[in-house]
Amino acid sequence: MPQPDLALTPAGPALAPRYDAPSPSPSLGRSDRRPEPSRSPYRRLLTRPGARAFAAWGLIARLPAGMFGVSAVIMIASVYGSYALAGAVTATGLAVGSVTAPLIARLVDRHGQARIAVPAAAYATLGHLVLALCVHERAPVWALFATVALTATSPNTGGMSRARWAHLLRDDPGALHTANSFEQAADELCFMLGPVLAAVLCSALFPQAGTLAAAALFLGGTLLFAAQRSTEPPVAPRTPAGSPLRAPGMVPLLTVFLATGAVFGSMEVVTLAYVDGPVAGPVLALQAAGSCAAGLLYGRVRRTARLRTCLAAMTVLMALPLLAASAGSLLALAAGLLVAGMATAPTMVTGMGLVQRLTPPAQLNEGMTLAVTALLAGIATGSASGGWAADHAPFPAFGFLLPLTAAATALALCAAAGMTKARRSW
């Protein structure tokens, strides 16, 4: 019996999805309906009942993900005068979150999105507010570490949004591919605009302004996202399947996500260290801009690439920032980051598609959160490695070897996993 294809590829040409719309008038001929296939796939996607509402509020709820970290660093460094302390505090929150996020996602799968996401978001918001208060009052350092742990209950809004699309489009793999591309572009948009908004608020108003604004957006967006009950996936009956980690192929795929996260984490730190000035943020944002544009374009294609192909393209393109930095041209580095970023979204869309295929439907939120956790762990590892390289680099462009090496490692891990017959489609 042939093995199932794990790639997120339609079996044939993708047809425009059907919607619950009134039947056309008998007077309308075939020529009146010809323009329908030419409509944008994203427009067709968002015309589904309830789709625009949960997509919009999910975007608002995710925007603070790009704000909290930058806000905390600026807030703590401005009051305590130590970027090392600020980095250590935010890293602690990330570490605790890597443990709690899969547990919260498991509760979401078992009890429903609204029932778990709302109290979890409220608790995390309280943690951010208490952290801001501690910094304002210049509390002892240990209080910052204890308080930041309270923020680690944030629900994975992106995963919940993808779960809604997977439920709505379970019979239309072509449209699901478009939805995953849309979600990845939304993620990139949040991490492109969030840090800029946080930096502006903290510098123009007061150090805690970024955290307060992010907390308001996060809680309000999550409440309104959870209120869209018509598109919430039904709670599936419990199964004795155990953790999604037991699904065949899941652990090798998570190791690929881990290495891919190291690409992003190292690139961010080494770019900031190399540019070292007020233009560092905008230059780095070009990578997210390139990824956002590529994600939207990738969602319009009828067929998807293999994960191995995406990682190979990423490995090649990650050499561009290294070459540009070696030449000493800031303009070339900006262009190199823009082009290199174009490999990010297709890689993440394809990888998340595989996670959706490997994870049992009753554990979809947990499975996708495990992928995000692996990605965040890789980002943390890459950030630490990038910081070390920035301090000990034998030449200025040395740090850009790290994202290239991490991308090549992810490609090698994917190729090794694909050696088995069941995963050759990777």
Side-chain angles (χ1 to χ4, degrees), residues 64-78:
M67 298 177 63
F68 279 128
V70 173
S71 298
V73 169
I74 296 176
M75 177 175 65
I76 295 172
S78 63

Side-chain angles (χ1 to χ4, degrees), residues 82-104:
S82 172
Y83 279 98
L85 173 62
V89 171
T90 55
T92 299
L94 183 64
V96 177
S98 67
V99 176
T100 58
L103 300 177
I104 294 172

Side-chain angles (χ1 to χ4, degrees), residues 368-383:
M368 287 190 291
T369 302
L370 285 171
V372 173
T373 299
L375 195 68
L376 292 176
I379 291 174
T381 303
S383 298

Side-chain angles (χ1 to χ4, degrees), residues 158-366:
M160 291 190 295
S161 186
R162 288 178 172 88
R164 293 189 181 221
W165 288 122
H167 172 67
L168 293 175
L169 306 173
R170 56 191 179 277
D171 298 323
D172 191 344
L176 182 57
H177 163 65
T178 301
N180 284 332
S181 299
F182 172 81
E183 290 296 326
Q184 186 61 39
D187 285 342
E188 299 297 341
L189 183 64
C190 291
F191 283 100
M192 184 170 56
L193 298 180
V196 176
L197 179 59
V200 169
L201 289 173
C202 291
S203 58
L205 300 179
F206 50 92
Q208 293 81 16
T211 297
L212 297 179
L217 289 172
F218 172 62
L219 182 59
T222 303
L223 289 173
L224 292 168
F225 174 84
Q228 312 306 313
R229 303 301 292 269
S230 63
T231 54
E232 181 178 351
V235 177
R238 293 190 184 184
T239 62
S243 172
L245 291 173
R246 298 182 181 181
M250 180 61 80
V251 172
L253 184 57
L254 292 182
T255 62
V256 173
F257 271 88
L258 181 69
T260 305
V263 176
F264 309 145
S266 59
M267 181 64 80
E268 178 178 349
V269 174
V270 299
T271 301
L272 292 174
Y274 181 87
V275 178
D276 192 24
V279 298
V283 168
L284 188 61
L286 288 173
Q287 184 181 7
S291 180
C292 182
L296 292 175
L297 291 174
Y298 192 58
R300 297 178 66 92
V301 302
R302 299 284 182 154
R303 300 178 67 87
T304 63
R306 292 183 177 184
L307 180 59
R308 194 183 317 172
T309 303
C310 295
L311 290 170
M314 175 181 284
T315 303
V316 173
L317 294 181
M318 284 299 158
L320 296 179
L322 173 63
L323 296 175
S326 300
S329 171
L330 182 60
L331 183 61
L333 176 61
L337 288 171
L338 178 67
V339 177
M342 293 180 179
T344 300
T347 300
M348 296 307 303
V349 170
T350 305
M352 280 296 184
L354 285 174
V355 172
Q356 291 175 354
R357 290 296 184 93
L358 294 175
T359 306
Q363 299 173 306
L364 191 55
N365 283 291
E366 184 178 357

